[in-house]
Structures are given as C-alpha cells and as structure tokens.
Amino acid sequence: MSREIRRLVVVVVVVVAMCTVMVTRYAEAASTPDTCPVYLTISAMARNIEEAQLVINWGPGCENPPTWIGLYTENPALSDAPPIVKVLVEGEPSGQVMSEVRFGRHKLPGGWSHEQVLQRIPKRKTKPICFGYYLTSYDQHDQLQYFDCLKIQPNWMFTEPGLSNITLKDLFLPGTHCSGCYQTRANVGNVFLKKIGFRQSVDIWSQLVYGVRYLDFSIGYQPSHNGTRNFWIMNEHFRVAPLLPILQDIRRFVILSEETVFLDFRRFPLGFHNNPDQHAALLALLEQELGDLVYRRKMDGDESDGPQPESYSLTIGEMRREGKYLLITYNQEASLNDSTSSSSNSSSDVVYIA
C-alpha cells in the first residue's frame, strides 16, 4: 500500500472516530436524567402546518435550567453551523418561546411518507427520526446539556416496552377530533367546508406517523352511482371525504408499524337515523377492510345483563399477542334511538365491535 493511500485511510478513520464521539456525546446528553429537557413543538395558531411557527420549550420545573438554547437546521453533532435562533433562559425553570421560524413544507422523514411506503417498507427504529430542526441546551460554560429534534413518532408505542402491561383504562393517548376533516384536492373548492373550517391540517396518514393513536370519526351515508363511496367523513352535516381510503391508510399504517390505534365512531349525522341497515352496511365495510386486525371483545357471563366491561382491563400486550392492533368503539344505540344524537354527547351504549 502506498504512503498516500495509507495517509488517506488514516484520515478517514480519524474523521469517522471524531463523528462517532460527537454523536455519542449528543446521545448521552439527551438521556441524562437530571438534565432539564428541551423540545420543539409546532404552533397550532396557524392556518396550516406549513405556516406554523416552531416553539422552543424547556421544563417543566427544572431545578437547573440551561443558560441558553439553540435551534439549528443542521445536526450540531455533525456540523459547526451556528444556531438560527438563540434563547437566553435567564434562570426560568420552564418556559416556551415562539420563534419566527416556520415549519415549511417537508416530506415525512425515514421513508414514512405516503408515497414512499407504497414502494418500500420503512424500518422501525428506536432512534429519533428527525426533520431538519434540532435543539440543544448549554450551561454557562457552553457545555452541552440536552439534545433533541423535531421528529415523527411512527412506532413510539412499539418501542416503549412499559406500555405493554398498562390497561386501557389507565392509558392516556394523543388523539384528534374530527380526525378526517382536512383539506384535499377534491374538497378544496367547497365553500361550506371552508366556512365552518377544516379541523385538521394534515391527513390521517400523517397524523398517525406524527404519533396520534386515537381517531374520532363522524360518518354519513349518501349513495353514489357506483356504490363505492356510500360512506363519508362528516364535519357537522357536510361531507368531507370518502371513508374507504382512510380505512385503507389506517390498515397500511398498523401493519407497517405494529402500533395500537383506537377508532371511535360516535356520530352519524347523515342517513343513519332509525336505519339499522346502514349500520349493518358500515359494520360490514369495517369488517372487510380492518376485521383481521380488530380486537374482539370477549363477552363474559349472561349477555342479557348487558355488555361486560372486559375490555377496560385489557392491555396492549394482550392485544399484540393475539395479533390485533385496532380497537373500535361504535356508538350505534344513540343514532338509532335519539334523533339529536349526532350533535349531542349523551351517554349511550358504546361497544367494542367485531
């Protein structure tokens, strides 16, 4: 081997070693238990996610808050680029600062974009899958304290082993209201939907990849000429989008991620009142698209005494061992018996379906 080649090999080894040390240092900083955590969130006070500002947070209740926090667009473990935002904490144990940095338009990282998963199966990772925004905190001597990034959470439940033994009644899950009420190419010109407002700024697939695990749906029935779009996502009494593609996205996500997702079908404002045949047709559609992934509630004792609450003591681990990743609640009784149920929150029999 020539001297020049040996020199090149040595240089490469040194660079790799330096990068490994830097990455390890940042990883250790993020996992130190007594360090004040810092994290990025996206402001909800915007018309859409692209225009939303990034919010720098620290705490809560830190005994030793950092001296300053830096926001970067390049990974500071691998780059010497300066921060685009610098926040002086000034001893506050917790707080948040709305930056002027907008989230912008980004493809979901790690191969989790909707287009990419149709071509290639993404890998489940225990390490963070980051967008191009990084946050670090430092002490008064500019020593690194904490490292984090704005990231997706496609498999946060799968990678958290402690969740397996928690019962459903003890779970606290991130969810969205009117989950399917977002703008699409098909409904962008609907003046009525624009007037009442779209409830979500990203689609179902993105919500799930971001970490949402509870989805809330209002369903309407209106026949179409070919019968493929009879069931619709509703916002109040307005049709937003067909239900079928959303069910297909949910199925694809849970198969790829092995995450547990909860679907709540609570309101039926169009075409269901006193019409059990429509409920039967909707349940048949859910069975067709999701049935093999849905947990089936086991009925204990005499069913004449009403449904037994076995599912409330169910754990995610028990569901996983049966190969089930979806749990559906379905508020059929209210729609059949109460003409105002589509806009009320009155209590009724909510069942876990098969």
Side-chain angles (χ1 to χ4, degrees), residues 293-341:
L293 301 172
V294 175
Y295 176 79
R296 318 284 173 141
R297 182 172 66 175
K298 299 174 177 63
M299 304 300 290
D300 298 330
D302 185 1
E303 292 189 21
S304 63
D305 295 331
Q308 303 298 313
E310 182 268 343
S311 296
Y312 290 105
S313 59
L314 180 71
T315 67
I316 291 178
E318 291 170 336
M319 290 180 63
R320 288 174 179 167
R321 283 191 288 274
E322 293 188 22
K324 308 302 181 184
Y325 302 101
L326 293 172
L327 195 142
I328 298 178
T329 59
Y330 193 97
N331 189 17
Q332 178 176 355
E333 196 69 26
S335 182
L336 291 176
N337 297 327
D338 182 2
S339 62
T340 63
S341 64

Side-chain angles (χ1 to χ4, degrees), residues 80-354:
D80 292 329
I84 59 172
V85 176
K86 186 174 182 179
V87 175
L88 300 179
V89 175
E90 298 180 343
E92 293 293 332
S94 59
Q96 61 177 211
V97 173
M98 183 89 71
S99 76
E100 294 300 321
V101 180
R102 310 281 174 170
F103 178 70
R105 186 179 295 273
H106 296 273
K107 180 181 291 187
L108 293 171
W112 279 96
S113 71
H114 195 276
E115 298 77 13
Q116 288 175 306
V117 298
L118 295 177
Q119 303 171 4
R120 191 174 186 179
I121 298 176
K123 294 182 179 179
R124 291 195 300 269
K125 298 180 180 180
T126 57
K127 295 181 179 180
I129 306 175
C130 302
F131 288 102
Y133 296 107
Y134 306 87
L135 204 63
T136 56
S137 63
Y138 301 88
D139 63 16
Q140 58 184 342
H141 303 296
D142 288 340
Q143 294 297 308
L144 178 69
Q145 288 190 323
Y146 203 91
F147 171 81
D148 200 5
C149 66
L150 190 64
K151 50 188 174 290
I152 58 173
Q153 302 278 4
N155 55 308
W156 66 269
M157 299 179 80
F158 183 85
T159 57
E160 183 54 58
L163 287 178
S164 294
N165 298 321
I166 298 178
T167 60
L168 299 185
K169 63 184 178 182
D170 295 321
L171 277 176
F172 186 87
L173 295 172
T176 52
H177 166 65
C178 201
S179 305
C181 300
Y182 48 84
Q183 185 171 290
T184 66
R185 292 180 180 178
N187 65 26
V188 65
N190 190 312
V191 294
F192 296 105
L193 288 176
K194 286 184 176 180
K195 185 175 181 180
I196 64 175
F198 292 99
R199 298 294 182 251
Q200 303 300 327
S201 58
V202 296
D203 59 25
I204 290 292
W205 177 264
S206 298
Q207 291 177 43
L208 292 169
V209 173
Y210 283 142
V212 168
R213 295 295 175 264
Y214 170 91
L215 300 174
D216 162 61
F217 297 117
S218 294
I219 304 299
Y221 176 84
Q222 182 166 328
S224 62
H225 67 281
N226 58 10
T228 60
R229 295 191 174 187
N230 291 345
F231 295 105
W232 292 78
I233 297 292
M234 305 292 293
N235 187 353
E236 302 295 340
H237 294 278
F238 299 99
R239 291 181 299 155
V240 179
L243 174 62
L244 180 58
I246 287 178
L247 297 181
Q248 293 169 340
D249 275 349
I250 293 170
R251 177 181 182 83
R252 183 178 294 111
F253 175 80
V254 297
I255 289 175
L256 292 175
S257 67
E258 297 189 25
E259 292 285 277
T260 304
V261 177
F262 297 76
L263 311 180
D264 188 3
F265 293 86
R266 182 168 293 272
R267 293 166 295 275
F268 306 91
L270 177 65
F272 282 88
H273 178 56
N274 287 333
N275 196 338
D277 290 342
Q278 305 305 4
H279 283 286
L282 176 56
L283 292 174
L285 177 64
L286 296 178
E287 175 68 25
Q288 170 188 306
E289 297 298 325
L290 306 174
D292 58 321
L293 301 172
V294 175
Y295 176 79
R296 318 284 173 141
R297 182 172 66 175
K298 299 174 177 63
M299 304 300 290
D300 298 330
D302 185 1
E303 292 189 21
S304 63
D305 295 331
Q308 303 298 313
E310 182 268 343
S311 296
Y312 290 105
S313 59
L314 180 71
T315 67
I316 291 178
E318 291 170 336
M319 290 180 63
R320 288 174 179 167
R321 283 191 288 274
E322 293 188 22
K324 308 302 181 184
Y325 302 101
L326 293 172
L327 195 142
I328 298 178
T329 59
Y330 193 97
N331 189 17
Q332 178 176 355
E333 196 69 26
S335 182
L336 291 176
N337 297 327
D338 182 2
S339 62
T340 63
S341 64
S342 63
S343 59
S344 70
N345 292 319
S346 59
S347 106
S348 58
D349 290 334
V350 179
V351 298
Y352 296 85
I353 70 161

